[in-house]
Amino acid sequence: MSSQDPRSHRTDSDATAVSEPRSHGFRAFAQGLLETGSVRAGLPLPLGIEIRDGGVNFAIFSRHATQVWLEIYDDPTAGEPSQVIGLDTAANRTGDIWHVWVEGLAPGTLYGYRADGPHQPQRGHRFNPHKLLIDPYARAIAGTETWDFKKARGYHHGDNGQEWQPDAYDNAAETPKSVVTWEHFDWQGDTLLRRPWSETIIYEVHVRGFTCDESSGVADPGTYRGLIEKIPYLQSLGITAVELLPVQAFNEKELSRTNPVTGESLTNYWGYNPAAFMAPHGSYSSAGTRGEQVLEFKQMVRALHAAGIEVILDVVFNHTGEGNHLGPTFSWRGLENSVYYLLEEERQWYRDYTGTGNTVKADHPVVRELILDALRYWVMEMHVDGFRFDLASVLGRDQDGSLLADPPLVERIAEDPILRDVKIIAEAWDAAGAYQVGTFSKHRWAEWNGPFRDTVRRFWRGDGGIIDDLASRLGGSADLYASSGRGPHSSVNYVTSHDGFTLNDLISYNHKHNAANGENNRDGTDANYSNNHGVEGPTDDPLVQRTRNRQARNILLTLLLARGVPMILGGDEFRRTQGGNNNAYCQDNETSWYDWERRDAYDDLVQFTRQAIRLRKQLPMLRADGYYSPQDVEWFDARGRTVNWSDPNARTLGMHVRDPDGPDLVAVFHAGTESTNILLPPAQMGSAWHRVADTARPIPSDITSIQEAPPLQVTDRYAMAGRSVLVLVSRPTESPEGGPPTHA
């Protein structure tokens, strides 16, 4: 093992020299460790840390490093290490893996790495021993509260962009430290729930925003424990899975802008800039960040599982928080830049297919193994039930950035034996123009169905000529998935998500209002397909409010009546608003936080959502993983006739679904502003239509259970109000015993 000071001088003769930093007396300390025998060569696998034999084994990948140091710290904000161990190229290196075993270290120990090697950006190398580096396999990191990206930059560059000089500033005090964690946890028999797609109803939620507002009434707001406290509410809704916005550790304070409206600092609220793929975000822990976040995350998963609720993570493997050539160096860049990132032909520049400045080289074998190891860790050690992959199309790009026909990583994830029972969902596009909804993969993968979102929004906005698209979405999107042999459960249906308007804002704003983001309202999509129904934003106008309340019901019910897997944006059931901001990624404030007073104000919509979810669970025909055949469904227009699919003025679509094993279903979606008389198909022989839902009716008769649904007095026609949904089920007119109807 070498005792060389990592910041005293460079060891690579080809690289630009780094100025002499302050001395910390590392050589004497490292030599003392050698003499006492408390450090051994260690093992190259597993990567990351392993507690074994009374100490900790450390292993890290770096192919082109000429020297690696392991540093031990006493405090997350310490700028001075308590121990420095230089790894010898002979004794502590096996292939491209550097490794060492250190005696006596305990869980909670803080550590980091430094790596020296060529600083040649033009050749793709950016080693700088002055920068403390996070372990890519870290299972927890501590110290994000004081993280200053500006002081993590690894170099300076000249005005012409070609003169690169490494930065000699030592950023240890500002860089978070990796944490030695102990994985033992009493799971009390907990395992993955393995709920089938047919029974899955997803609720997308932000861990912090869900309970951060004081109106949440929880003891530990904004934390994993705070979410635990809201489990009874989640159960009462009937959802079966929570999809958590990123919980992979990230730097909340990476933005340098302020809110031009309030002057407050903006933050990375959503967390789509990971700093460690396996580490749960520390700020969401109520107890601490030296491993406590791992324990608390596991407690949350165990509690959700006990309530029958799966945990799906929104994971980011397509890019990292190190950004472009001007970004910080805190992990991958300082260890093996040319392996971890896609680089341009002029290799000092990064290919950017993500809109964030860099793109992970997911087709490289080393990177593929890191991503697979991270997924396996979340499943095996954290009991996570599934993943939604942000900008998943990036995972299908080769090392030159071209899209592959059969991407190895995408197939490996689908076929991995450890991951066989988990849900995998692709956001099947990226920021460079790839749009693969329906074509992302033929194996196992489900996808966020963007066309479903846009079709439902446009229909209820009042657009004409799209009833054929609406029928396709209601039937499971066979036009997208059937050709690859996949069924409707490949489609994760949604109308709103974190990215875009909330449901309330979709029906309250014609335009985005993102000025508070500090980007002159240029950020966020302009294709919202929204309708404010007469007034932009909040209003006391009773007619506008009545219309918006009905439209909220229409959209939620349409989502839950469609084949596929429904996803509800958290808070939509009580009309959570972001004030028209459709890109609130930087708003860690009341804009994004859940205002639980609205839950009481819109209790009628909460009850409607519960009943609509219950209705879906009661009707197997809505949850089947197959497409409707002509024998299963009949589509009809307002006059009960065969639909003219090319009618540009059509605003009404009816579907009659026949179920040989249960009640028939009629659902009519009427987006016209005027009322209409619907000619109904005949009910089953010996049965009559019973009204389960009519979103135009007064509360609480707008929706009811199948068992309590009243029969229609006139069975061949129904007067529907403008902008409404009608749901009927057939029930026997009389039971075999002559009692009340029982077929429900």
Side-chain angles (χ1 to χ4, degrees):
M1 268 160 276
S2 168
S3 59
Q4 182 182 359
D5 187 325
R7 290 159 284 188
S8 60
H9 62 275
R10 303 281 294 185
T11 61
D12 178 47
S13 59
D14 295 330
T16 307
V18 180
S19 58
E20 181 80 17
R22 60 187 184 274
S23 173
H24 298 303
F26 298 146
R27 296 181 183 83
F29 186 82
Q31 186 63 37
L33 289 175
L34 284 171
E35 293 173 354
T36 60
S38 57
V39 174
R40 297 202 297 262
L43 299 172
L45 293 176
L47 287 166
I49 62 101
E50 182 182 32
I51 299 174
R52 60 191 305 273
D53 302 331
V56 178
N57 192 82
F58 298 84
I60 193 167
F61 164 80
S62 184
R63 176 166 297 164
H64 291 97
T66 56
Q67 181 66 57
V68 173
W69 295 265
L70 170 68
E71 296 187 351
I72 308 299
Y73 287 83
D74 292 332
D75 186 83
T77 60
E80 305 282 347
S82 60
Q83 301 180 32
V84 175
I85 304 166
L87 306 189
D88 185 77
T89 55
N92 300 99
R93 183 171 185 173
T94 303
D96 295 332
I97 308 299
W98 300 75
H99 47 84
V100 66
W101 177 90
V102 184
E103 185 179 22
L105 299 183
T109 297
L110 306 177
Y111 70 99
Y113 289 98
R114 296 182 191 271
D116 202 355
H119 189 92
Q120 301 166 331
Q122 293 87 344
R123 295 173 61 183
H125 302 308
R126 294 178 177 270
F127 290 94
N128 188 336
H130 293 271
K131 303 306 172 186
L132 189 68
L133 305 175
I134 295 169
D135 183 356
Y137 278 74
R139 294 161 184 180
I141 63 173
T144 57
E145 301 83 1
T146 58
W147 201 348
D148 187 342
F149 267 4
K150 294 185 293 295
K151 295 179 180 179
R153 189 166 296 166
Y155 59 90
H156 301 295
H157 67 95
D159 293 338
N160 63 7
Q162 302 298 318
E163 299 173 2
W164 303 87
Q165 298 293 328
D167 179 9
Y169 178 82
D170 189 296
N171 67 323
E174 294 85 17
T175 298
K177 315 303 188 286
S178 305
V179 183
V180 174
T181 58
W182 179 248
E183 297 303 336
H184 176 72
F185 179 72
D186 183 6
W187 281 103
Q188 299 175 2
D190 177 78
T191 61
L192 273 63
L193 294 184
R194 299 177 176 86
R195 187 182 299 277
W197 280 117
S198 62
E199 298 177 8
T200 300
I201 299 172
I202 300 171
Y203 188 85
E204 190 194 34
V205 66
H206 189 286
V207 171
R208 174 170 166 79
F210 194 45
T211 63
C212 192
D213 192 86
E214 63 180 3
S215 63
S216 69
V218 302
D220 296 292
T223 66
Y224 302 120
R225 284 185 180 167
L227 196 150
I228 291 174
E229 294 182 66
K230 286 296 185 182
I231 287 177
Y233 172 75
L234 297 174
Q235 283 182 295
S236 72
L237 281 181
I239 61 99
T240 69
V242 289
E243 182 172 304
L244 305 180
L245 266 70
V247 298
Q248 295 165 303
F250 60 93
N251 181 9
E252 299 170 2
K253 304 181 185 303
E254 67 181 62
L255 300 181
S256 57
R257 299 194 312 278
T258 58
N259 184 327
V261 178
T262 66
E264 298 175 345
S265 295
L266 297 174
T267 68
N268 176 11
Y269 172 68
W270 283 352
Y272 284 96
N273 266 345
F277 290 155
M278 303 183 192
H281 191 54
S283 295
Y284 298 161
S285 167
S286 65
T289 61
R290 295 183 70 153
E292 294 91 345
Q293 64 267 52
V294 178
L295 174 64
E296 192 166 320
F297 183 90
K298 290 179 177 180
Q299 291 171 337
M300 177 193 70
V301 173
R302 185 179 64 189
L304 285 163
H305 282 180
I309 298 173
E310 291 185 310
V311 178
I312 299 171
L313 300 187
D314 191 337
V315 289
V316 183
F317 294 115
N318 59 80
H319 72 279
T320 77
E322 290 186 311
N324 64 13
H325 62 286
L326 299 177
T329 296
F330 61 76
S331 184
W332 305 273
R333 173 175 287 155
L335 287 165
E336 201 55 70
N337 182 64
S338 63
V339 167
Y340 285 117
Y341 295 115
L342 286 175
L343 304 178
E344 298 282 6
E345 290 186 16
E346 295 185 24
R347 296 176 66 77
Q348 68 265 42
W349 314 119
Y350 292 82
R351 296 181 188 267
D352 184 8
Y353 300 110
T354 64
T356 63
N358 67 50
T359 304
V360 167
K361 192 187 291 186
D363 193 43
H364 192 286
V366 169
V367 182
R368 290 204 302 262
E369 286 305 310
L370 169 60
I371 293 172
L372 285 165
D373 285 345
L375 294 171
R376 293 168 187 145
Y377 174 77
W378 285 108
V379 171
M380 296 170 62
E381 295 293 345
M382 309 296 261
H383 286 206
V384 164
D385 301 276
F387 305 95
R388 177 265 189 189
F389 291 77
D390 176 64
L391 298 182
S393 290
V394 169
L395 305 182
R397 292 187 180 272
D398 66 16
Q399 296 187 39
D400 293 324
S402 301
L403 287 168
L404 294 165
D406 295 298
L409 178 57
V410 172
E411 184 178 18
R412 281 284 304 277
I413 292 171
E415 298 295 340
D416 187 84
I418 299 297
L419 307 177
R420 285 296 298 169
D421 291 330
V422 305
K423 293 178 168 66
I424 49 175
I425 305 167
E427 183 185 37
W429 54 83
D430 64 26
Y435 193 80
Q436 298 178 296
V437 175
T439 62
F440 180 76
S441 174
K442 297 179 181 179
H443 309 287
R444 278 196 63 213
W445 285 84
E447 300 169 7
W448 268 24
N449 191 338
F452 183 98
R453 172 200 61 205
D454 296 343
T455 296
V456 173
R457 287 185 175 200
R458 291 183 59 205
F459 178 78
W460 287 114
R461 184 176 68 170
D463 292 8
I466 60 169
I467 55 171
D468 54 340
D469 285 343
L470 181 63
S472 294
R473 305 304 150 236
L474 291 168
S477 295
D479 58 325
L480 298 176
Y481 301 108
S483 62
S484 63
R486 292 182 291 168
H489 293 159
S490 295
S491 174
V492 174
N493 299 331
Y494 71 105
V495 182
T496 55
S497 69
H498 69 277
D499 192 1
F501 278 151
T502 65
L503 176 59
N504 176 83
D505 294 358
L506 185 68
I507 57 179
S508 302
Y509 294 90
N510 282 350
H511 311 286
K512 65 186 181 185
H513 295 264
N514 297 359
N517 294 350
E519 299 184 51
N520 297 315
N521 209 43
R522 292 192 298 265
D523 62 303
T525 184
D526 293 317
N528 295 294
Y529 307 120
S530 59
N531 188 340
N532 66 19
H533 299 99
V535 178
E536 187 75 355
T539 180
D540 293 328
D541 186 308
L543 178 60
V544 174
Q545 279 285 50
R546 186 162 58 248
T547 302
R548 290 177 179 176
N549 284 333
R550 187 182 301 173
Q551 288 286 62
R553 287 160 170 75
N554 293 337
I555 292 170
L556 284 168
L557 196 51
T558 304
L559 172 65
L560 290 163
L561 289 172
R563 281 194 175 178
V565 181
M567 185 186 81
I568 299 170
L569 174 62
D572 274 357
E573 73 279 9
F574 51 79
R575 287 184 59 179
R576 182 173 71 90
T577 179
Q578 294 178 167
N581 192 323
N582 75 349
N583 191 34
Y585 72 99
C586 56
Q587 301 294 332
D588 187 6
N589 50 48
E590 290 83 358
T591 297
S592 297
W593 298 344
Y594 289 50
D595 179 0
W596 288 89
E597 291 182 358
R598 294 178 73 90
R599 183 257 170 272
D600 296 328
Y602 292 97
D603 180 68
D604 55 337
L605 185 58
V606 175
Q607 300 302 328
F608 181 92
T609 305
R610 287 173 177 163
Q611 288 281 23
I613 290 173
R614 183 183 179 189
L615 173 64
R616 179 178 182 83
K617 292 179 178 180
Q618 289 181 315
L619 295 173
M621 87 257 297
L622 300 178
R623 298 181 279 110
D625 191 22
Y627 302 108
Y628 290 124
S629 70
Q631 293 72 40
D632 296 329
V633 65
E634 179 182 359
W635 303 97
F636 60 93
D637 64 12
R639 298 183 181 181
R641 301 175 304 189
T642 300
V643 176
N644 178 4
W645 298 111
S646 61
D647 183 355
N649 299 311
R651 301 291 192 281
T652 306
L653 178 66
M655 68 175 187
H656 176 197
V657 184
R658 303 175 182 88
D659 186 352
D661 300 317
D664 281 5
L665 168 74
V666 160
V668 185
F669 308 87
H670 176 49
T673 58
E674 303 297 326
S675 61
T676 184
N677 278 321
I678 301 295
L679 182 63
L680 299 174
Q684 293 173 331
M685 183 71 67
S687 298
W689 292 122
H690 288 63
R691 187 183 63 240
V692 173
D694 179 349
T695 59
R697 290 185 61 82
I699 301 163
S701 61
D702 55 345
I703 191 168
T704 186
S705 68
I706 292 178
Q707 292 81 358
E708 298 173 343
L712 297 186
Q713 299 304 312
V714 178
T715 59
D716 60 341
R717 292 186 178 273
Y718 192 94
M720 287 188 70
R723 296 189 178 114
S724 64
V725 177
L726 171 67
V727 180
L728 309 173
V729 295
S730 64
R731 293 178 58 189
T733 54
E734 186 177 81
S735 71
E737 296 78 20
T742 59
H743 189 192

